[in-house]
Amino acid sequence: MTDRGFLRVLAVDDEPPALDELAYLLRADPRVARLHTAADATEALRVLRDTDVDVVFLDIRMPGLDGMELARVLRRFARPPAIVFVTAYDDGAVDAFDLGVADYVRKPVQVERLSESIRRVVSSRVVPSHPAALARAEEDPTIPVELAGTTRMLPRSAVRWVEAQGDYARLHTADGSHLVRVPLATLADRWADAGFVRIHRSYLVQLRLIAELRLANSGYVVVVDETELPVSRRHTRELKDKLVRAAKQDWNR
């Protein structure tokens, strides 16, 4: 695979000016070999029935079958294309995270941002059908986060602990934090199998990163990355049990 003219791309948007602009920018990128366009999900499916496509740049809010619903259909393909959401809104972040999209680009689309998105697609599609690569993607999904006005895809493995802030959640990583429009309860449910545990109504932590659990003046606290986080009384017993089970599993390896 060379760096020029190899990506087969489908752009989908129900607004003609937006579709024309996106198509213009995609055609200008030297990594795009072939570009198809569609004005809605039905037309997009007709294109995909007859044509192999590497990546779909997809608007979310469309009449009929919307972008999220189309993305779910595409995931069931034997060889699903990468998906990049292109939208003026950020309220699709939760579903985009669940779908494991390659990127989440905000309108109006900037040339530099689109170029970065294509780079991400290329990196993820070098061996698109390799089982190990697909397994890694499923084990470490990404979530869209805002960084300096740009939406980036943050891998779940980078998250150390999560703090509730109303209907939002703040994801704490080793080098900073990101506010996302996802309730803490939603992440607690969806990340439980990945080792994240609820320690308080306002905190979710990666179990393996807990350095210690100790009794402080106001109750129990855990230490993650030298930061003390409170453990509520209702979660203390369950947390202790999980820490003991995790330790036994490590001993038995």
Side-chain angles (χ1 to χ4, degrees):
M1 184 176 289
T2 65
D3 286 338
R4 295 189 63 85
F6 55 85
L7 278 181
R8 299 162 297 183
V9 179
L10 170 62
V12 187
D13 199 311
D14 66 302
E15 297 180 356
L19 182 59
D20 290 345
E21 176 67 13
L22 179 58
Y24 173 80
L25 295 175
L26 287 168
R27 287 192 181 97
D29 192 289
R31 292 163 292 189
V32 175
R34 190 188 317 158
L35 176 68
H36 304 271
T37 61
D40 55 35
T42 301
E43 186 178 352
L45 288 171
R46 282 199 295 267
V47 172
L48 292 165
R49 180 191 60 197
D50 301 327
T51 309
D52 289 330
V53 169
D54 297 304
V55 54
V56 180
F57 285 80
L58 180 59
D59 187 24
I60 293 180
R61 296 191 180 183
M62 298 187 295
L65 194 70
D66 67 20
M68 287 293 179
E69 293 166 329
L70 177 58
R72 292 187 180 96
V73 172
L74 300 184
R75 285 193 67 186
R76 296 197 291 267
F77 280 25
R79 296 185 63 182
I83 298 170
V84 175
F85 282 131
V86 182
T87 177
Y89 308 94
D90 62 2
D91 56 359
V94 178
D95 289 329
F97 149 67
D98 275 348
L99 290 167
V101 302
D103 209 349
Y104 193 97
V105 178
R106 292 287 299 276
K107 295 177 180 178
V109 180
Q110 304 297 319
V111 175
E112 296 80 5
R113 183 67 184 90
L114 188 64
S115 178
E116 167 63 15
S117 184
I118 293 173
R119 185 198 66 77
R120 288 172 181 270
V121 170
V122 171
S123 297
S124 68
R125 305 290 292 181
V126 172
V127 282
S129 60
H130 194 287
L134 293 175
R136 284 195 297 272
E138 292 175 357
E139 291 169 0
D140 193 16
T142 57
I143 186 168
V145 299
E146 291 292 324
L147 182 62
T150 298
T151 303
R152 302 293 188 192
M153 303 305 290
L154 179 74
R156 182 176 61 191
S157 60
V159 179
R160 319 287 285 181
W161 50 282
V162 186
E163 178 183 7
Q165 294 192 348
D167 292 332
Y168 291 70
R170 183 167 292 279
L171 311 180
H172 292 266
T173 66
D175 55 3
S177 67
H178 307 276
L179 191 65
V180 296
R181 189 179 290 181
V182 186
L184 185 73
T186 298
L187 292 181
D189 290 340
R190 297 178 180 179
W191 288 7
D193 292 343
F196 283 84
V197 296
R198 192 79 173 262
I199 62 169
H200 188 279
R201 65 181 181 182
S202 298
Y203 294 98
L204 182 70
V205 302
Q206 172 55 260
L207 186 69
R208 63 180 174 78
L209 298 178
I210 294 177
E212 59 181 293
L213 169 68
R214 66 166 179 257
L215 188 61
N217 293 334
S218 57
Y220 279 95
V221 298
V222 295
V223 178
V224 178
D225 293 342
E226 301 183 354
T227 299
E228 290 188 357
L229 303 173
V231 181
S232 66
R233 187 169 300 175
R234 62 174 294 203
H235 289 100
T236 299
R237 170 52 57 191
E238 183 182 5
L239 177 61
K240 287 181 178 179
D241 291 343
K242 288 181 177 179
L243 286 170
V244 169
R245 287 198 298 269
K248 287 182 178 179
Q249 289 174 357
D250 287 341
W251 295 337
N252 294 328
R253 285 177 181 173

